[in-house]
């Protein structure tokens, strides 16, 4: 690895983090405007979100493994080029079909950016300051997530739905140019090149696709297969079983099962998955409910759901202050409890004609709990694996987190609109739902059911945290000889999710 100032490399990778997170959180708020202005069906509106999440999730492990073999710089830069071009294509898409196609390509680029950011920083920073570099990277991601809904709502209000993509383009172009100049080349390869597990990559991608479709009945109905859900669910279970069996016999598996099967990491990974599944769809459902009857637009909805992102940032800051004083198990348990309390409250108060301030409290609780869980959970995970397995451990964490996001969105949107007719479902996505009592009642009931399911997932995450061993394996603070580099930040590991 050629010598580079690590903070210079950090400045380049940060642009990729900002671009990906700004795009991801901004599109959530812009979805009703996209549906309305493009005339997208309910299934197409779902796929604007789900196609991106599915492809990103499916490719994280494969791209991470491929980067280990061919080098991080070419994968990172290639992903940045692809993400930039696809973002421009999204902004220019004339219809929902081409928008979904462009989002799919955009997701491939995002997977390459997200997967390689931690590895590039780890390769570049000296051990004494690595914690600060990764911690500041997590801060950039959290702040961008907090500002994303607001920026997406403002851009959509000013320039229409295309604005949420146009606002990302200057960041992409500037970041790509800067990355070409400063991202260092990796060391020359020595010895035979390792084998890429193509079979494992195909199996994991197929299993994820079957899982998503099984949980998206509205999409299956729109595709002409309304009763295919149970068949796809069974196929998903079979594919996951074959995938695990393949990993056990493969000499170069896509995922090292030894990283997963550990008395501390197993419940922690379960908590990561369940917490992600419990909280991610909350902002989508809240934005959908607030805009469903046309009472507020995209900008106002972005402001009204911002307590969740603000709470996440606040929770991460508090966790950074407490992580050296309290056991990580205590912090992740309290964080999961806050997520559970917030989702239960929202299951009661989140309705199209309800009062906002209880919703505000629920969003703030979910966000704060997420932030409080994120930092100590990631730090604890990375401290329980040897240095030569931290890349695999972080890759599995990112993949599980994204699976949770994907499942949260599929289940949340599917349940929230399950009792609506096709026309009313499309109107709900477009922010033009009829005010007829039976329609609003069906929509409110669906949202309540969705929030109850999210609450049950949050309860599962809390139980997983309680199953963690009481004794932590190592202190969660950086080494005493860590140099005083620029801005002091929490001793955490990157928290990166598109």
């Amino acid at each position: 690895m050629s010598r580079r100032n690590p903070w210079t490399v950090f400045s380049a990778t940060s642009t990729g983090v900002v671009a990906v997170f700004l795009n991801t959180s901004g599109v959530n708020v812009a979805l009703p405007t996209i549906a309305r202005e493009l005339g997208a069906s309910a299934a197409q509106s779902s796929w604007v979100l789900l196609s991106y999440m599915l492809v990103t999730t499916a490719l994280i492990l494969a791209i991470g493994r491929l980067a280990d073999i061919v080098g991080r710089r070419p994968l990172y830069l290639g992903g940045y080029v692809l993400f930039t071009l696809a973002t421009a294509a999204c902004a220019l898409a004339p219809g929902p079909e081409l928008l979904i196609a462009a989002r799919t390509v955009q997701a491939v680029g995002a997977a390459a950016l997200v997967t390689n950011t931690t590895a590039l920083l780890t390769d570049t920073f000296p051990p004494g300051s690595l914690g600060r570099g990764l911690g500041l990277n997590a801060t950039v991601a959290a702040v961008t997530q907090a500002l994303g809904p607001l920026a997406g709502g403002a851009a959509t209000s000013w320039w229409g739905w295309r604005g949420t993509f146009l606002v990302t383009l200057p960041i992409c172009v500037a970041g790509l140019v800067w990355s070409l100049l400063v991202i260092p080349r990796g060391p020359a390869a020595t010895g035979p090149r390792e084998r890429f597990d193509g079979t494992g990559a195909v199996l994991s991608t197929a299993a994820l696709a079957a899982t998503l479709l099984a949980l998206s009945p509205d999409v299956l109905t729109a595709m002409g297969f309304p009763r295919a859900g149970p068949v796809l669910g069974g196929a998903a279970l079979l594919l996951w079983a074959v995938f695990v069996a393949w990993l056990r016999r493969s000499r170069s598996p896509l995922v090292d099962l030894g990283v997963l099967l550990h008395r501390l990491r197993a419940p922690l990974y379960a908590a990561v998955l369940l917490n992600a599944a419990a909280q991610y769809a909350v902002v989508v459902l809240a934005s959908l409910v607030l805009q469903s009857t046309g009472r507020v637009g995209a900008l106002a909805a972005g402001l009204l759901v911002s307590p969740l992102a603000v709470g996440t940032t606040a929770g991460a800051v508090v966790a950074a202050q407490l992580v050296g004083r309290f056991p990580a198990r205590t912090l992740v348990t309290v964080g999961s409890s806050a997520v559970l309390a917030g989702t239960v409250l929202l299951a009661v108060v989140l309705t199209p004609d309800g009062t906002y301030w209880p919703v505000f409290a629920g969003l703030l609780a979910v966000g704060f709990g997420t932030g409080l869980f994120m930092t100590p959970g990631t730090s604890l995970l990375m401290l329980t694996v040897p240095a030569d397995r931290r890349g695999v451990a972080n890759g599995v964490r990112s993949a599980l987190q994204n699976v949770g996001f994907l499942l949260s969105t599929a289940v949340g949107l599917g349940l929230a609109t399950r009792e609506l007719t096709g026309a009313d479902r499309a109107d709900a996505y477009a922010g033009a739902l009829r005010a007829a009592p039976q329609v609003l009642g069906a929509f409110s009931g669906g949202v309540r059911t969705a929030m109850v399911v999210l609450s049950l997932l949050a309860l599962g995450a809390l139980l997983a945290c309680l199953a963690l061993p009481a004794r932590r394996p190592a202190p969660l603070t950086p080494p005493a000889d860590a140099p005083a580099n620029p801005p002091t930040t929490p001793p955490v590991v990157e928290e990166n999710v598109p």
Side-chain angles (χ1 to χ4, degrees), residues 3 10 55-56 201 239 289-290 332 351 367 411 414 436:
R3 302 303 300 173
F10 170 83
V55 173
T56 303
L239 284 167
V289 168
L290 291 168
V332 297
T351 60
V411 171

Side-chain angles (χ1 to χ4, degrees), residues 117-126 130 134:
T117 295
T118 299
L120 283 169
L121 294 177
T122 303
D123 291 345
T124 307
F125 274 84
L130 178 60
L134 294 178

